[in-house]
């Protein structure tokens, strides 16, 4: 309604009158039920039924029966307008018809419902327009997870797999169409908190899996026999720290006894060549391996889940940056037994990735391609028998590095999806 | 350390090639001319008596602003010794890239900010989300050039440096306009 004041001439006054009438009409059309109550009568005899049917026929009471009086086996529910409440209750008392008040104030309920609807509308609007091309703080990602689950209840569940050092929940999204402990694929993202495009890619990818299921034949066949577990924020304490204090924080936020320096490199903390080359024994180092393998609760929780499940067939860790797709080992430059196969799967996956925007990736084992690094996640997963273990380093190659502009999130996630899908399809087609 | 023919996508070759990028930016970079390592085609390493290791590289280099690409040959020598010394770089057959003329833009930028009497300080380029005021882009490039000098000096066979973020850039007004770029961070662990 425009409130621009202007001098009212005759025509304006006429317009004003019409406007007022319209307002009144609109106001009247939304009915108010303040003070109305809904009463439930547990009918005990045919006589009581007849008495209630008489009430129903009396128009002057303006009673609105929600459940009509028909038999003694069923309750009778009636909304009684406020103005007639005392009269109706007196009538029921006089005829010894017992009743209970189900709804104390109908309008209150309606207001509540309206508010809920608006809330849902807003949240629905916001999930449809959830900006996948932006970086979000932890709380936003966590609440978005709930909306994803709500939108795809038959496919996605959110599991609380434990707590972080600072007691934040670790939520893994499980994509499953049923079964018990089906062969599964593990994907973790953001274990190094400053690699923001990793968590952001996880969010986009989770949405992609949920929305493409049942329309994409390959994905559908995959999910009909396998489960996907996705841990979008593997290091929530670190992630929050990158938002609040230090954008370049990499490690966990655990306190190191005897040192002022905080945190352990969670990708040097796994029980795979633990404490070997490429990891530091100094708490102040960014690649500090920690006091012992799996000392970090974030790592231990993943280990517990994987071992407790016992049927994971693939383990994929997603990092940034460098544009690499790697397979074990990092703790040694000696080739893994399945190196030839892993190499060919990775090369084919990268071909698919590159096909989208021409983004060039290198392929190789960790030790040769990036650096020797002990205590890494995919070395651990490979050594516990999960053959198809891979690590991604997403965009870019150093121009922006960790601080990748948000407009590259969706392109990065889209191209990475092609590689991920290839790996997952290969795992599906090569059971072991 | 590997000697002889190296796998071009493995890190020993990649790290040596990165040093070439730092060299090019240090010597030829400007707010309007910035080089990136595009690809390593081949690499060879050999020990030079006791004095160090020499890498011979065939790479392609990318001038980011004009989007020109060229194949270059380069030699990188990492001296060995008690004290860490900077690598020495020689580049050949890269002439086209050096011919790229950004002088007009560089001159315009210089004139624009020479007369600016306000002490400018910019923090965090880019910001945490990768955003940057377009007006600041030439100064981001300038910072990359400046950090390339440090990265070139500090590089070894075991490092792979990139500038992570400009913490602080301040314009100092005096007889000439100079910029103090402070607290650059760079890191290699991904």
């Amino acid at each position: 309604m425009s409130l621009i004041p202007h001098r009212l001439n005759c025509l304006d006054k006429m317009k004003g009158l019409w406007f007022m009438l319209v307002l009144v009409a609109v106001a009247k059309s939304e009915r108010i039920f303040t003070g109305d109550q809904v009463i439930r009568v547990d009918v005990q005899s045919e006589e009581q039924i007849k008495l209630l049917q008489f009430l129903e026929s009396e128009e002057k009471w303006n009673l609105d029966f929600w459940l009509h009086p028909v038999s003694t086996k069923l309750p009778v529910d009636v909304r009684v307008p406020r103005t007639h409440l005392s009269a109706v209750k007196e009538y029921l008392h006089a005829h010894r018809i017992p009743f209970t008040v189900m709804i104390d104030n109908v309008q209150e309920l309606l207001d509540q419902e309206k508010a809920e609807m608006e809330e849902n509308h807003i949240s629905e609007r916001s999930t449809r327009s959830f900006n996948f091309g932006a970086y979000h703080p932890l709380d936003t990602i966590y609440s978005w997870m709930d909306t994803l689950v709500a939108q795809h209840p038959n496919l996605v569940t959110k599991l609380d797999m434990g707590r972080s050092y600072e007691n934040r929940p670790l939520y893994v999204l499980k994509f499953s169409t049923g079964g018990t402990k089906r062969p599964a694929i593990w994907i973790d993202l953001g274990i190094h908190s400053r690699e923001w495009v990793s968590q952001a890619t996880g969010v986009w990818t989770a949405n992609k899996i949920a929305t493409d299921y049942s329309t994409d034949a390959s994905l559908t066949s995959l999910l009909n026999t396998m489960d996907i577990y996705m841990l979008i924020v593997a290091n929530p304490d670190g992630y929050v720290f990158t938002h609040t204090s230090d954008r370049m924080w990499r490690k966990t936020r655990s306190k190191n006894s005897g040192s002022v320096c905080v945190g352990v490199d969670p990708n040097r903390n796994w029980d795979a060549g633990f404490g070997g080359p490429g990891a530091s024994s100094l708490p102040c180092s960014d690649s500090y391996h920690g006091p012992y393998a799996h000392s970090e609760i974030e790592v231990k929780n993943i280990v517990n889940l994987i071992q407790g499940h016992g049927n994971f067939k693939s383990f994929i860790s997603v990092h940034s940056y460098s544009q690499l797709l790697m397979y074990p080992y990092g703790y040694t430059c000696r080739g893994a037994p399945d190196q030839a196969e892993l190499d060919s799967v990775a090369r084919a996956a990268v071909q698919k990735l590159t096909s989208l925007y021409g983004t060039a990736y290198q392929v190789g084992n960790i030790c040769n391609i990036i650096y020797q690094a002990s205590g890494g996640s995919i070395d651990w997963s490979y050594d516990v028998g999960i053959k198809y273990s891979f690590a991604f380093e997403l965009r870019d190659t150093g121009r922006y590095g960790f601080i990748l502009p948000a407009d590259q999130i969706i392109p990065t996630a889209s191209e990475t999806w092609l590689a991920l899908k290839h790996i997952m399809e290969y795992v599906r087609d090569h059971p072991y | 350390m590997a000697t002889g023919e190296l796998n071009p996508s493995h890190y020993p070759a990649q790290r040596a090639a990165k040093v070439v990028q730092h060299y090019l930016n240090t010597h030829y970079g400007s707010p309007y001319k910035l080089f990136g390592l595009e690809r390593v085609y081949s690499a060879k390493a050999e020990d030079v008596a006791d004095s160090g290791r020499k890498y011979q590289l065939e790479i392609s280099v990318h001038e980011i602003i004009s989007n020109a690409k060229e194949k270059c040959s380069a030699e990188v020598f990492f001296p060995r010794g008690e004290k860490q010394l900077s690598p020495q770089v020689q580049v050949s057959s890269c002439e086209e890239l050096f011919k790229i003329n950004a002088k007009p833009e560089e001159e315009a930028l210089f004139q624009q900010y020479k007369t600016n009497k306000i002490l400018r300080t910019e923090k965090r380029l880019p910001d945490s989300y990768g955003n940057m005021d377009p007006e600041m882009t030439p100064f981001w490039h300038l910072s990359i050039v400046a950090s390339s000098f440090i990265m070139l000096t500090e590089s070894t066979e075991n490092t792979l440096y990139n500038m992570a973020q400009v913490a602080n850039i301040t314009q100092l007004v005096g007889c000439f306009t100079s910029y103090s770029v402070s607290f650059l961070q760079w890191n290699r662990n991904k």
Side-chain angles (χ1 to χ4, degrees), chain A residues 273-420:
Chain A
F274 177 82
S280 172
S281 57
L282 304 171
C284 296
S285 165
D286 246 0
S287 54
Y288 174 48
H289 50 55
Y292 52 88
H294 305 172
S295 63
E296 300 313 283
I297 181 130
E298 294 85 352
V299 170
K300 188 77 174 112
N301 281 324
I302 300 174
V303 169
N304 289 343
L305 188 152
I306 300 281
Q307 287 181 328
H309 183 283
N311 204 21
F312 277 90
K313 299 300 178 189
S314 178
F315 186 100
I316 301 168
S317 289
V318 181
H319 293 253
S320 81
Y321 59 91
S322 285
Q323 293 172 203
L324 310 169
L325 179 48
M326 303 175 287
Y327 43 81
Y329 288 114
Y331 68 81
T332 170
C333 281
R334 139 179 80 91
D338 301 290
Q339 171 149 301
E341 186 188 3
L342 295 176
D343 190 84
S344 97
V345 175
R347 279 183 203 284
V350 157
Q351 241 182 6
K352 300 250 166 87
L353 185 154
T354 307
S355 73
L356 195 58
Y357 298 112
T359 309
Y361 263 60
Q362 318 245 49
V363 172
N365 66 43
I366 297 172
C367 191
N368 279 324
I369 281 288
I370 195 166
Y371 33 65
Q372 191 175 11
S374 58
S377 64
I378 73 165
D379 284 359
W380 172 82
S381 64
Y382 184 79
D383 278 351
V384 297
I386 302 174
K387 178 161 60 150
Y388 299 114
S389 291
F390 294 97
F392 279 85
E393 292 278 359
L394 302 179
R395 290 193 192 183
D396 61 10
T397 54
R399 182 140 190 255
Y400 289 98
F402 302 118
I403 318 184
L404 195 70
D407 62 14
Q408 290 199 45
I409 294 174
I410 295 178
T412 301
S414 308
E415 66 193 9
T416 306
W417 170 240
L418 300 179
L420 269 173

Side-chain angles (χ1 to χ4, degrees), chain A residues 18-137:
Chain A
W18 278 113
F19 183 76
M20 277 300 296
L21 284 174
V22 168
L23 253 187
V24 167
V26 166
K28 273 260 179 265
S29 72
E30 193 174 67
R31 209 166 143 196
I32 308 294
F33 301 90
T34 314
D36 291 9
Q37 289 187 349
V38 176
I39 289 172
R40 170 163 287 187
V41 180
D42 286 316
V43 198
Q44 270 135 19
S45 68
E46 282 291 57
E47 198 198 304
Q48 286 184 348
I49 298 254
K50 285 207 170 57
L51 287 165
L52 288 166
Q53 281 170 345
F54 167 73
L55 261 188
E56 203 177 3
S57 65
E58 286 285 270
E59 274 181 14
K60 67 175 183 202
W61 298 115
N62 214 354
L63 298 174
D64 173 14
F65 278 81
W66 290 6
L67 287 176
H68 295 272
V70 286
S71 99
T72 54
K73 295 201 186 90
L74 299 166
V76 177
D77 290 344
V78 55
R79 177 182 60 80
V80 184
R82 184 177 52 83
T83 46
H84 302 296
L85 257 178
S86 45
V88 169
K89 283 178 178 173
E90 238 183 310
Y91 178 89
L92 293 171
H93 277 307
H95 293 275
R96 297 194 203 289
I97 302 174
F99 66 89
T100 49
V101 176
M102 274 203 340
I103 299 171
D104 195 44
N105 180 352
V106 175
Q107 188 57 35
E108 206 179 279
L109 257 190
L110 291 177
D111 289 344
Q112 214 175 66
E113 189 188 27
K114 194 168 175 192
E116 256 177 58
M117 269 170 50
E118 264 182 333
E119 233 179 79
N120 281 334
H121 184 56
I122 289 170
S123 88
E124 254 187 73
R125 262 195 283 129
S126 71
T127 48
R128 272 187 213 122
S129 63
F130 179 88
N131 192 356
F132 293 101
Y135 295 112
H136 299 285

Side-chain angles (χ1 to χ4, degrees), chain A residues 209-341:
Chain A
I209 294 172
T211 50
D212 271 14
Y213 173 72
S214 86
T215 53
D216 178 311
S218 180
L219 181 67
T220 306
S221 89
L222 194 150
L223 283 165
N224 286 343
T225 54
M226 299 187 77
D227 294 341
I228 300 171
Y229 285 70
M230 191 183 294
L231 176 61
I232 292 176
V233 188
N235 180 4
D237 297 348
Y239 191 58
V240 169
F241 199 72
T242 59
H243 282 269
T244 57
S245 306
D246 180 359
R247 176 64 177 82
M248 291 297 167
W249 191 260
R250 163 187 164 89
K251 302 190 285 182
T252 61
R253 291 294 302 162
S254 58
K255 295 202 189 354
N256 294 310
S257 81
S259 174
V260 300
C261 291
V262 175
V264 166
D265 184 338
N267 207 30
R268 300 288 185 279
N269 189 244
W270 299 74
D271 191 8
F274 177 82
S280 172
S281 57
L282 304 171
C284 296
S285 165
D286 246 0
S287 54
Y288 174 48
H289 50 55
Y292 52 88
H294 305 172
S295 63
E296 300 313 283
I297 181 130
E298 294 85 352
V299 170
K300 188 77 174 112
N301 281 324
I302 300 174
V303 169
N304 289 343
L305 188 152
I306 300 281
Q307 287 181 328
H309 183 283
N311 204 21
F312 277 90
K313 299 300 178 189
S314 178
F315 186 100
I316 301 168
S317 289
V318 181
H319 293 253
S320 81
Y321 59 91
S322 285
Q323 293 172 203
L324 310 169
L325 179 48
M326 303 175 287
Y327 43 81
Y329 288 114
Y331 68 81
T332 170
C333 281
R334 139 179 80 91
D338 301 290
Q339 171 149 301
E341 186 188 3

Side-chain angles (χ1 to χ4, degrees), chain B residues 6 12 14 21 23 81 87 139 148 159:
Chain B
L6 303 176
Q14 290 285 327
Q21 175 189 305
Y23 170 85
F139 297 102
S148 296
T159 62

Side-chain angles (χ1 to χ4, degrees), chain A residues 150-166:
Chain A
Q151 285 175 326
H152 305 273
N154 296 325
L155 180 67
V156 194
T157 46
K158 182 184 86 171
L159 305 173
D160 185 332
M161 54 175 285
R163 296 268 147 164
S164 68
Y165 182 84
E166 291 175 341

